[in-house]
Amino acid sequence: MAKPKKKKLAHALNRVLSKAEQRIIAEKKAQAQLNAEKARKKQTKNTSTRPRPEYSSKDKLLLVGEGNFSFAKSLAENYLMEGAENMTATCYDSEEVLYEKYQEAKENVELIRELGATVMFNVDATHFSKEIRKNKYTKIIFNFPHAGAGIKDQDRNIIANQKLLTAFFQAAEPLLEKEGEIHITLKTCKPYDLWSVKSLARSLGVLATKGTRPFHPDDFPGYEHRRTLGYKEGVSKGGNLEILSSAPKTFIFVRKEMMEKDIERSLTGKRKRDEEEDSDDEP
């Protein structure tokens, strides 16, 4: 007679634990949403006064490493006002795996295609296919790259991601138009600041850093950052909180020769202005 009571007690205990776990998850989710809202309000304070990122339908865009394709969707809807035919958005995952990892991805992909963009799956950002290599691009964009190898040792993790970025630079540089740019967006907290992305680009001998700018998620309405492993309820942070709290930046790289020409033009302009000022000072 004791056994049924034990079973009932076990079932009751499981129900209590299950409810407790659900409550904890709900509380974490609510807190994450609250924190995200605070972060958004803080970041959007000066939205109306800061420069808008320069993307347009005239750009030949190549997006690599897309997660749920929400960034590509935002570009197509908010920046490519004359059509998204010049945008190619790609991801590393297969189409099947992508939709399993990100529930919203399928809807985003369908909308992007409706707006005229090309969507490609199974694209390795370190070894582009012939179909991608046959074109040249004005901007190649890689947001929050990560090797996703699950390496817990920080030093090995840094090396793995440095190898990824180096291989990406080597693959992307030949695809740039003459004055094309590579845009890489990263968190600037540890360990990401230890990746030394500027040094990696410079070490190739063909790229130079044109500049950096803060990455504001609210410049891209509808964009939702996702980790490489996908979105996990109760673990992942919604509302872009994860990147808002890490002061992300977009690093802009160009061919070294173009940077040198820009510098020379600036120096020439300065010399000309100095000469004009000197002539004005003459009696």
Side-chain angles (χ1 to χ4, degrees):
M1 295 295 293
K3 288 184 178 179
K5 288 184 178 180
K6 286 184 178 180
K7 286 184 178 180
K8 288 182 180 180
L9 184 61
H11 287 313
L13 182 60
N14 286 334
R15 284 197 298 272
V16 171
L17 288 173
S18 179
K19 289 181 179 179
E21 289 172 353
Q22 291 175 7
R23 185 170 63 253
I24 291 171
I25 291 174
E27 289 174 353
K28 285 183 177 180
K29 185 176 180 180
Q31 186 60 48
Q33 290 174 341
L34 180 62
N35 292 339
E37 184 61 29
K38 288 180 179 178
R40 273 196 297 269
K41 286 181 179 179
K42 182 178 179 181
Q43 192 182 48
T44 57
K45 194 174 181 180
N46 297 316
T47 302
S48 59
T49 59
R50 67 173 180 249
R52 178 180 167 92
E54 296 181 1
Y55 299 110
S56 74
S57 294
K58 294 180 181 179
D59 278 314
K60 295 176 183 176
L61 300 173
L62 174 62
L63 278 57
V64 302
E66 282 289 284
N68 58 5
F69 282 85
S70 62
F71 182 80
K73 176 188 173 186
S74 183
L75 275 186
E77 289 184 319
N78 300 285
Y79 289 83
L80 312 184
M81 308 313 294
E82 296 176 19
E85 288 78 8
N86 285 336
M87 181 173 74
T88 299
T90 73
C91 70
Y92 181 76
D93 294 317
S94 67
E95 187 170 8
E96 181 181 2
V97 170
L98 181 80
Y99 296 157
E100 288 177 358
K101 288 168 65 174
Y102 312 106
Q103 293 182 352
E104 68 277 24
K106 187 173 183 179
E107 182 179 344
N108 290 341
V109 166
E110 289 174 352
L111 187 142
I112 293 164
R113 283 174 165 163
E114 287 175 6
L115 294 174
T118 298
V119 176
M120 299 175 66
F121 308 96
N122 294 307
V123 174
D124 184 345
T126 66
H127 295 91
F128 292 116
S129 65
K130 287 183 179 179
E131 188 173 355
I132 291 176
R133 295 201 312 270
K134 70 182 181 182
N135 298 312
K136 299 292 183 181
Y137 305 91
T138 59
K139 293 183 176 76
I140 300 176
I141 305 169
F142 199 169
N143 289 327
F144 303 101
H146 198 283
I151 301 172
K152 294 183 179 180
D153 180 79
Q154 180 170 286
D155 291 340
R156 289 175 56 217
N157 189 295
I158 290 170
I159 292 172
N161 283 288
Q162 287 179 325
K163 287 181 178 179
L164 167 65
L165 288 173
T166 299
F168 165 68
F169 281 133
Q170 291 172 330
E173 185 272 331
L175 305 185
L176 290 175
E177 287 198 348
K178 186 177 180 180
E179 298 185 7
E181 300 176 349
I182 293 174
H183 294 189
I184 293 184
T185 300
L186 293 172
K187 302 174 185 178
T188 57
C189 58
K190 292 189 183 307
Y192 305 95
D193 58 342
L194 300 176
W195 293 5
S196 304
V197 63
K198 290 183 180 180
S199 297
L200 294 177
R202 186 171 59 250
S203 68
L204 298 179
V206 292
L207 292 172
T209 304
K210 182 178 180 180
T212 63
R213 65 169 182 245
F215 178 85
H216 300 287
D218 55 2
D219 281 338
F220 306 96
Y223 170 64
E224 286 284 343
H225 173 69
R226 291 289 182 264
R227 287 191 172 195
T228 307
L229 298 177
Y231 186 85
K232 294 186 178 181
E233 193 72 35
V235 178
S236 301
K237 298 177 181 179
N240 292 317
L241 179 62
E242 187 174 332
I243 55 174
L244 283 172
S245 61
S246 63
K249 285 185 179 180
T250 298
F251 297 81
I252 302 172
F253 302 96
V254 295
R255 286 201 174 99
K256 187 178 179 181
E257 61 193 68
M258 297 310 302
M259 196 66 187
E260 290 172 347
K261 288 181 180 179
D262 285 344
I263 293 172
E264 181 58 34
R265 280 196 292 266
S266 297
L267 291 174
T268 301
K270 185 178 184 304
R271 284 194 293 267
K272 187 176 180 180
R273 288 192 298 272
D274 290 343
E275 290 171 0
E276 290 174 350
E277 289 176 3
D278 290 341
S279 63
D280 290 340
D281 292 338
E282 293 178 1

